[in-house]
Amino acid sequence: MRHLLLCFLLGVTVASAQRPWIRQSTTSPGPNGKMSLTYNTLYYYDSVALQSYDRGATWVETTGLRGRVCTIDEFTQGVSVAVCYDSATSTATGFFTTGGAPWTEFRSIIGSARPVRLTAINDTWYVATDGPVIYVGNETLDSIRLPGSARAIDMVAVGDMLVVNTTTGVYFTSTTTPVEWSLIAQDGLGVLYVRNDVVYAASVRGVKRLDLTAKRAVDVGSWKLPTPPPVSLDLDSYQGSLLTITRDGNAYQAYRLEGDTTWKEVAYPLPGKIATVTRSVMAMDAGWMVLSHQITEGFVDSAGVYAFDLNDFTSVNDNELASNASWIKAVDRGGDILLHRATAEPARVVVTDLHGRTLYDGRLDARGTTSIVPVATSMRGFIGITLVTDAGSILRTQLIR
């Protein structure tokens, strides 16, 4: 019965083109790591800021920043801006970089609350803090206040509108007229995201669209689940489709909005029961979802940076076709796995189980087309194998023990 069930699961995953995530590295910039992609550079930051050009497989520390890194965002004309914070002196400091040059300080704000998010409208930048103040800067420094006791959670710009998700609802205002805040009275919202001049919000019940005209939050897409919609943790898009990372109970799962109507699963669930949630746990890098998955409970040894290739909609190579120039094939030998490949070349091999947990991560050299991959006999059930060559090719196969 168990074997039949696993065969059924294997058939389902092949049909739906689901594959495991690849754990790229175990690097962490601090306990509350955030990710962002600005002008083709992937940043991972908290206590320090790291940058990567290979989708999170390797990281180098950036130079020139000082203090805890709170946000890194695009400004204008290839300029990226980072805002750091020194809690001992309550000082927020802005830095900029162009084309990968070292970061240069350009503004300090003494007496600031902790920065939350930077956004820009034309050549003016806005920095939201977890206090009631939003700082406004270009040639001079100014500020605007949120209504009442509101504190910013996230902030985006759409056209000339500034949209701020706060502890007391979503406030928005035009920046071309005197500040006059309008309110969408909706709680339970998190990260904001703009696509095609529409503002979306992660929420405790799926994804919402913010209708600024009607001043309301609208459900986005349907969830084919026996339970209420999961908690959406972060949002992004690729090739016109929205993507979200969710948590439902103790399960972490990625979804894609198909046809703007239905959320469909992408990839296998991620390992771990509880992971740290920050304002930005996900970034899109050249068609790959790159995720900060800082697990704090359940399979904590599997914590790290994960990536998933959205350009590859296959789940397994057709190893039976002799016409294939490249293929891999796995044979279970009980105590290990014998991996055959068409071409002998340097590569990395990653072995995962059905839940995306890494069973083996190692190197293959170019000395032969047959390699032994050590996977403990105790590892039973579905096993997925991903081979990434040094030249960038990706091959996959799978087996059931």
Side-chain angles (χ1 to χ4, degrees):
M1 179 61 72
R2 175 181 171 82
H3 183 73
L4 289 175
L5 175 62
L6 289 170
C7 286
F8 170 75
L9 288 173
L10 178 60
V12 170
T13 57
V14 170
S16 62
Q18 292 186 42
R19 294 171 275 106
W21 291 78
I22 298 174
R23 187 169 71 163
Q24 296 284 71
S25 67
T26 57
T27 303
S28 171
N32 297 291
K34 296 173 283 293
M35 280 201 177
S36 64
L37 185 80
T38 67
Y39 299 113
N40 299 317
T41 300
L42 180 65
Y43 290 102
Y44 192 22
Y45 52 95
D46 183 25
S47 302
V48 297
L50 310 173
Q51 61 190 60
S52 174
Y53 296 98
D54 55 9
R55 300 178 294 272
T58 57
W59 298 90
V60 295
E61 185 172 345
T62 60
T63 58
L65 297 180
R66 183 178 68 257
R68 183 171 295 275
V69 188
C70 298
T71 183
I72 298 179
D73 296 278
E74 293 183 353
F75 179 45
T76 184
Q77 298 177 346
V79 177
S80 298
V81 173
V83 184
C84 302
Y85 190 60
D86 183 346
S87 58
T89 60
S90 299
T91 300
T93 305
F95 300 83
F96 74 91
T97 182
T98 305
W103 292 89
T104 301
E105 179 180 339
F106 71 91
R107 176 80 70 176
S108 288
I109 305 171
I110 300 173
S112 167
R114 180 180 59 84
V116 172
R117 181 75 182 272
L118 178 143
T119 193
I121 299 177
N122 299 321
D123 59 353
T124 300
W125 51 262
Y126 299 80
V127 174
T129 70
D130 61 3
V133 176
I134 297 173
Y135 293 100
V136 184
N138 40 48
E139 294 181 357
T140 60
L141 180 66
D142 202 348
S143 65
I144 55 179
R145 294 184 68 89
L146 291 166
S149 60
R151 301 292 185 270
I153 296 171
D154 198 15
M155 177 179 68
V156 294
V158 54
D160 68 350
M161 302 295 293
L162 197 64
V163 183
V164 190
N165 181 27
T166 79
T167 52
T168 60
V170 176
Y171 290 94
F172 59 96
T173 182
S174 171
T175 58
T176 60
T177 60
V179 173
E180 184 176 341
W181 293 107
S182 297
L183 172 65
I184 297 176
Q186 176 79 38
D187 59 9
L189 301 183
V191 174
L192 302 180
Y193 179 73
V194 179
R195 186 192 67 157
N196 298 333
D197 291 333
V198 176
V199 183
Y200 297 90
S203 86
V204 295
R205 285 278 184 105
V207 177
K208 309 289 185 182
R209 175 176 57 83
L210 301 185
D211 186 334
L212 303 185
T213 302
K215 299 180 182 178
R216 62 180 185 143
V218 182
D219 289 335
V220 175
S222 61
W223 304 81
K224 304 301 183 182
L225 298 170
T227 57
V231 177
S232 173
L233 304 177
D234 202 357
L235 297 169
D236 215 313
S237 64
Y238 181 62
Q239 293 182 338
S241 296
L242 276 178
L243 295 153
T244 184
I245 293 289
T246 69
R247 184 185 178 197
D248 191 359
N250 289 330
Y252 290 85
Q253 177 68 56
Y255 287 87
R256 185 203 318 260
L257 185 61
E258 299 285 350
D260 286 343
T261 58
T262 306
W263 291 99
K264 292 189 177 180
E265 294 179 349
V266 176
Y268 299 141
L270 287 146
K273 292 183 178 181
I274 298 177
T276 300
V277 178
T278 64
R279 182 186 57 77
S280 181
V281 296
M282 175 177 64
M284 291 298 307
D285 187 358
W288 288 67
M289 300 169 68
V290 185
L291 180 72
S292 166
H293 197 48
Q294 297 179 283
I295 303 169
T296 58
E297 183 178 323
F299 302 102
V300 293
D301 289 344
S302 296
V305 175
Y306 283 76
F308 184 84
D309 184 5
L310 292 166
N311 293 310
D312 187 346
F313 293 96
T314 63
S315 61
V316 60
N317 298 296
D318 188 355
N319 294 327
E320 303 304 321
L321 295 179
S323 59
N324 278 1
S326 297
W327 52 262
I328 59 174
K329 183 176 182 179
V331 177
D332 182 18
R333 302 202 310 177
D336 51 41
I337 293 172
L338 200 62
L339 184 65
H340 302 281
R341 47 185 175 151
T343 305
E345 57 183 321
R348 175 190 178 197
V349 61
V350 181
V351 183
T352 58
D353 65 8
L354 185 61
H355 300 288
R357 292 186 291 261
T358 301
L359 307 180
Y360 177 78
D361 186 341
R363 296 283 306 170
L364 302 177
D365 59 32
R367 289 180 292 181
T369 57
T370 300
S371 305
I372 295 175
V373 180
V375 177
T377 309
S378 58
M379 298 298 178
R380 313 299 295 174
F382 173 88
I383 294 176
I385 300 169
T386 302
L387 187 144
V388 183
T389 71
D390 287 5
S393 299
I394 300 174
L395 302 171
R396 297 180 176 87
T397 190
Q398 49 199 0
L399 57 85
I400 291 178
R401 275 183 159 179

